[in-house]
Amino acid sequence: QVQLIESGGGLVQAGGSLRLSCVASGRSFSSYHMGWFRQAPGKERVFVAAIPWSGGSTYYVDSVKGRFTISRDNVKNTVYLQMNSLKPEDTAVYYCAATRSIIYRDPGVYNYWGQGTQVTVSS
């Protein structure tokens, strides 16, 4: 059983930065791979970034490469998403999720989801 709580969302102007945090409860956090997804109004939930349990590699959707950085601290049971050079098209509800699967881009493989945090980027 894993519970996830996201925070750090807000309103920011284009070109600004935000850092999202996701705190997990549960005794086996370090055994899960972690992902960030986002859902814009009227759109489906899509993959943004993922990091394996080891933290040795990272994966990103092409549209955020070079701007977003995912990281994790297994001691603190926390995964982060540092978002720089934000664009209006980044506006969405961002969700943290946990999985034991290596098919990171597929939301269907994630077992646990947070409640989401709103990110709004103004032009």
Tab-separated table of all heavy atoms in Angstrom, residues 8-12 18 20 83 86 88 90-94 117-121:
chain	number	residue	atom	x	y	z
A	8	GLY	N	3.278	21.862	-4.539
A	8	GLY	CA	4.185	22.737	-5.255
A	8	GLY	C	3.612	23.399	-6.486
A	8	GLY	O	4.285	24.235	-7.103
A	9	GLY	N	2.393	23.057	-6.863
A	9	GLY	CA	1.775	23.687	-8.010
A	9	GLY	C	1.398	25.132	-7.717
A	9	GLY	O	1.430	25.585	-6.574
A	10	GLY	N	1.039	25.854	-8.770
A	10	GLY	CA	0.656	27.242	-8.611
A	10	GLY	C	0.576	27.954	-9.933
A	10	GLY	O	0.587	27.335	-10.993
A	11	LEU	N	0.484	29.275	-9.859
A	11	LEU	CA	0.400	30.137	-11.031
A	11	LEU	C	1.744	30.804	-11.259
A	11	LEU	O	2.314	31.404	-10.341
A	11	LEU	CB	-0.690	31.192	-10.837
A	11	LEU	CG	-0.843	32.254	-11.918
A	11	LEU	CD1	-1.257	31.618	-13.236
A	11	LEU	CD2	-1.855	33.304	-11.484
A	12	VAL	N	2.260	30.707	-12.476
A	12	VAL	CA	3.553	31.280	-12.808
A	12	VAL	C	3.508	31.839	-14.224
A	12	VAL	O	2.761	31.348	-15.074
A	12	VAL	CB	4.673	30.216	-12.671
A	12	VAL	CG1	4.482	29.091	-13.686
A	12	VAL	CG2	6.050	30.840	-12.805
A	18	LEU	N	8.859	26.140	-11.357
A	18	LEU	CA	8.181	25.550	-10.215
A	18	LEU	C	8.851	24.227	-9.894
A	18	LEU	O	9.388	23.569	-10.788
A	18	LEU	CB	6.697	25.300	-10.494
A	18	LEU	CG	5.745	26.491	-10.542
A	18	LEU	CD1	4.378	26.033	-11.021
A	18	LEU	CD2	5.641	27.144	-9.174
A	20	LEU	N	7.743	20.676	-8.143
A	20	LEU	CA	6.707	19.833	-7.576
A	20	LEU	C	7.333	18.767	-6.685
A	20	LEU	O	8.414	18.255	-6.980
A	20	LEU	CB	5.888	19.155	-8.668
A	20	LEU	CG	5.263	20.063	-9.733
A	20	LEU	CD1	4.418	19.234	-10.688
A	20	LEU	CD2	4.437	21.164	-9.093
A	83	MET	N	10.674	22.130	-12.793
A	83	MET	CA	10.172	22.604	-14.075
A	83	MET	C	10.697	24.013	-14.323
A	83	MET	O	10.349	24.941	-13.593
A	83	MET	CB	8.644	22.586	-14.101
A	83	MET	CG	8.043	21.230	-13.759
A	83	MET	SD	6.235	21.199	-13.930
A	83	MET	CE	5.788	22.368	-12.647
A	86	LEU	N	9.002	27.417	-18.134
A	86	LEU	CA	7.632	26.957	-18.313
A	86	LEU	C	6.935	27.705	-19.448
A	86	LEU	O	7.162	28.892	-19.660
A	86	LEU	CB	6.852	27.113	-17.019
A	86	LEU	CG	7.162	26.039	-15.970
A	86	LEU	CD1	6.714	26.488	-14.592
A	86	LEU	CD2	6.483	24.728	-16.353
A	88	PRO	N	2.992	28.162	-21.615
A	88	PRO	CA	1.543	28.030	-21.395
A	88	PRO	C	1.028	26.624	-21.672
A	88	PRO	O	0.091	26.175	-21.002
A	88	PRO	CB	0.957	29.051	-22.369
A	88	PRO	CG	2.002	30.107	-22.469
A	88	PRO	CD	3.311	29.354	-22.423
A	90	ASP	N	2.294	23.960	-20.834
A	90	ASP	CA	2.553	23.104	-19.684
A	90	ASP	C	1.414	23.146	-18.668
A	90	ASP	O	1.431	22.377	-17.701
A	90	ASP	CB	3.855	23.505	-18.984
A	90	ASP	CG	5.078	23.300	-19.865
A	90	ASP	OD1	5.159	22.270	-20.547
A	90	ASP	OD2	5.963	24.191	-19.850
A	91	THR	N	0.456	24.027	-18.859
A	91	THR	CA	-0.664	24.153	-17.939
A	91	THR	C	-1.451	22.854	-17.872
A	91	THR	O	-1.902	22.333	-18.897
A	91	THR	CB	-1.585	25.300	-18.364
A	91	THR	OG1	-0.881	26.541	-18.266
A	91	THR	CG2	-2.822	25.362	-17.478
A	92	ALA	N	-1.608	22.316	-16.667
A	92	ALA	CA	-2.291	21.037	-16.475
A	92	ALA	C	-2.335	20.719	-14.990
A	92	ALA	O	-1.681	21.370	-14.176
A	92	ALA	CB	-1.566	19.914	-17.225
A	93	VAL	N	-3.102	19.695	-14.657
A	93	VAL	CA	-3.000	19.079	-13.346
A	93	VAL	C	-1.913	18.018	-13.427
A	93	VAL	O	-1.947	17.155	-14.305
A	93	VAL	CB	-4.331	18.456	-12.892
A	93	VAL	CG1	-4.166	17.747	-11.553
A	93	VAL	CG2	-5.409	19.525	-12.789
A	94	TYR	N	-0.956	18.077	-12.523
A	94	TYR	CA	0.167	17.149	-12.517
A	94	TYR	C	-0.040	16.091	-11.445
A	94	TYR	O	-0.362	16.402	-10.299
A	94	TYR	CB	1.478	17.889	-12.277
A	94	TYR	CG	1.972	18.617	-13.503
A	94	TYR	CD1	1.302	19.741	-13.978
A	94	TYR	CD2	3.091	18.174	-14.201
A	94	TYR	CE1	1.727	20.397	-15.115
A	94	TYR	CE2	3.528	18.832	-15.335
A	94	TYR	CZ	2.844	19.941	-15.791
A	94	TYR	OH	3.280	20.599	-16.923
A	117	THR	N	-1.859	18.182	-8.517
A	117	THR	CA	-1.602	19.565	-8.151
A	117	THR	C	-1.654	20.419	-9.420
A	117	THR	O	-1.091	20.054	-10.450
A	117	THR	CB	-0.255	19.716	-7.418
A	117	THR	OG1	-0.085	21.068	-6.973
A	117	THR	CG2	0.923	19.328	-8.303
A	118	GLN	N	-2.344	21.552	-9.347
A	118	GLN	CA	-2.580	22.392	-10.516
A	118	GLN	C	-1.363	23.258	-10.820
A	118	GLN	O	-0.834	23.938	-9.940
A	118	GLN	CB	-3.798	23.288	-10.298
A	118	GLN	CG	-4.082	24.258	-11.440
A	118	GLN	CD	-4.588	23.571	-12.680
A	118	GLN	OE1	-5.509	22.761	-12.608
A	118	GLN	NE2	-3.985	23.878	-13.831
A	119	VAL	N	-0.946	23.254	-12.082
A	119	VAL	CA	0.095	24.143	-12.582
A	119	VAL	C	-0.516	24.992	-13.689
A	119	VAL	O	-1.033	24.457	-14.670
A	119	VAL	CB	1.305	23.367	-13.117
A	119	VAL	CG1	2.287	24.311	-13.816
A	119	VAL	CG2	1.999	22.619	-11.990
A	120	THR	N	-0.463	26.306	-13.526
A	120	THR	CA	-1.000	27.223	-14.520
A	120	THR	C	0.098	28.187	-14.952
A	120	THR	O	0.689	28.869	-14.115
A	120	THR	CB	-2.192	28.014	-13.969
A	120	THR	OG1	-3.210	27.111	-13.527
A	120	THR	CG2	-2.770	28.928	-15.039
A	121	VAL	N	0.359	28.242	-16.251
A	121	VAL	CA	1.402	29.097	-16.809
A	121	VAL	C	0.733	30.145	-17.683
A	121	VAL	O	0.095	29.814	-18.686
A	121	VAL	CB	2.425	28.298	-17.624
A	121	VAL	CG1	3.548	29.213	-18.095
A	121	VAL	CG2	2.980	27.152	-16.796
